[in-house]
Amino acid sequence: MKQRIITALILAPLVILGIFELSLATFILSLFVITLLGYWEWTQFVESKSRYLALVPTVAISVASFALIPFDAFSLNHLSSAHFAVLAIGSVWWVIASGLAVTYPKSTSAWQGSSLLRHCFGILTLLPFFWSVVILRANGIDQDPYHGAKLVMFVCLLVWAADSGAYFAGKSFGKRKMAPAVSPNKTIEGLIGGIITALIVAWIFAGLFDIQFTSPIQMIAITLITVVISVLGDLVESMFKRVSGIKDSSNLIPGHGGILDRIDSLTAAFPVFALLYLAF
C-alpha cells in the first residue's frame, strides 16, 4: 500500500501537468506511446507464438489511422465523419464488451478460441480511447488553449470519483454482486455510490472548468452514462485477465500493475463521453 501511495503521489501531478502544459503535438505523441504500451500488455490476451508478432497488427492499424483521421488542430476543431466514426465505433464496442462481461463466463464461448477477435478487441479498446482523448484535448484550442485540457481532466475526475465512491460505498453497504464471476468485489450498491459521487464532482467541476452543457439534464445524463460504462470497462479488462490467467497486465507501474490496469475505466469512458458531448 505504501508503494502504491508513493507512486500515485508522483504520477498524479505528472499526468495533470502533461494534460495542461504539453503542446498538442507533444501530447499526441505522449498519448500514442502510452497506447503502444497498452497494446504490448494486450498481447498477453492474444494466443500467439510471439508477443512481438502479436503487436504488429495493432501497431500497423494504429499508425494507419493517422492517414485516415486528420489530427491537426484545425481538423480536430472541425470534426469530420472520420472523427465521429471512431468515437461511435468505440462507444458501440463498449456496449458490446459490457454485455460480454456481464454475461461471463457464458459469453466466452463466442470469442475465447479466436485469436483474431482478441486482436480486434485490443484495437477497439485502445484506438478509440486514443482518438477520443486527442479530440477532446484539441477542442476549442484556437480560442482557449486550456479548454480541451479541462475536458480531458473533467472525464478523468468523473472516473476517479466514481472509482472512489464505488469503493467506499461498496465497503460500507455492498451486498448485491454486479458480476461475481468476473469481479466478486464489485456491487450494485458500490455502483450507485460511484454514480452519486461522480454527479457531485461533475456539478462542481463543470462550473469551475466552465464546461458548457445544453442543460443540467444533459450533464446528468452524460455523466451517468459515462460512469456506468467506465465501471463496466473495468469489468471487461478483469474478464480478459481472468480468461488469460493474469493478475496484473504488467509490473510497469510500481504498486499499480500495468498501463491497462490504470486506464481500463478511462478507455471506456473517453469515447462515450466524447461522442455524447460533441454530438449532442
Side-chain angles (χ1 to χ4, degrees):
M1 178 60 73
K2 181 179 179 181
Q3 186 182 49
R4 187 183 181 92
I5 293 172
I6 292 172
T7 302
L9 290 174
I10 295 171
L11 283 182
L14 291 176
V15 169
I16 295 171
L17 188 65
I19 290 172
F20 281 91
E21 296 302 332
L22 290 178
S23 67
L24 181 59
T26 308
F27 181 84
I28 292 173
L29 178 60
S30 301
L31 185 62
F32 191 66
V33 171
I34 292 171
T35 304
L36 292 179
L37 291 172
Y39 280 138
W40 171 249
E41 293 178 357
W42 193 275
T43 58
Q44 299 174 97
F45 305 151
V46 178
E47 294 179 354
S48 177
K49 295 179 180 179
S50 167
R51 290 183 68 182
Y52 293 101
L53 288 175
L55 191 63
V56 172
T58 51
V59 173
I61 291 173
S62 297
V63 172
S65 72
F66 284 94
L68 301 173
I69 304 173
F71 58 96
D72 60 281
F74 178 83
S75 297
L76 290 170
N77 274 278
H78 298 80
L79 300 181
S80 67
S81 57
H83 295 108
F84 282 111
V86 73
L87 297 180
I89 290 169
S91 299
V92 170
W93 156 243
W94 282 109
V95 173
I96 295 171
S98 299
L100 294 177
V102 171
T103 57
Y104 176 87
K106 292 181 180 180
S107 61
T108 56
S109 60
W111 58 268
Q112 187 173 4
S114 173
S115 179
L116 176 62
L117 283 178
R118 294 192 188 201
H119 272 295
C120 291
F121 292 169
I123 294 168
L124 290 169
T125 295
L126 288 164
L127 193 58
F129 161 74
F130 168 79
W131 281 109
S132 60
V133 177
V134 169
I135 289 168
L136 286 177
R137 177 61 183 84
N139 187 262
I141 198 170
D142 52 342
Q143 298 177 349
D144 178 1
Y146 292 113
H147 175 70
K150 291 175 185 176
L151 281 174
V152 173
M153 195 71 237
F154 183 76
V155 180
C156 290
L157 289 171
L158 291 185
V159 172
W160 296 340
D163 285 346
S164 299
Y167 176 80
F168 288 109
K171 282 285 187 182
S172 302
F173 310 108
K175 292 181 179 179
R176 290 169 289 184
K177 306 295 184 181
M178 280 182 59
V182 179
S183 183
N185 294 326
K186 283 188 168 50
T187 63
I188 298 296
E189 291 81 5
L191 174 62
I192 294 172
I195 290 172
I196 293 172
T197 307
L199 285 171
I200 295 171
V201 168
W203 195 275
I204 294 171
F205 281 92
L208 289 177
F209 287 170
D210 193 27
I211 296 174
Q212 301 297 318
F213 292 90
T214 57
S215 69
I217 297 298
Q218 188 208 31
M219 183 196 71
I220 292 171
I222 291 178
T223 299
L224 178 63
I225 295 170
T226 300
V227 168
V228 171
I229 286 292
S230 77
V231 172
L232 292 172
D234 186 21
L235 285 177
V236 170
E237 201 219 340
S238 296
M239 174 184 69
F240 286 123
K241 289 193 294 187
R242 188 171 290 275
V243 169
S244 302
I246 297 168
K247 183 180 184 295
D248 294 323
S249 57
S250 76
N251 296 314
L252 186 63
I253 308 173
H256 290 265
I259 293 293
L260 290 177
D261 297 318
R262 291 302 91 210
I263 67 170
D264 48 10
S265 298
L266 295 172
T267 57
F270 268 104
V272 171
F273 178 89
L275 179 66
L276 295 176
Y277 181 78
L278 297 171
F280 304 102

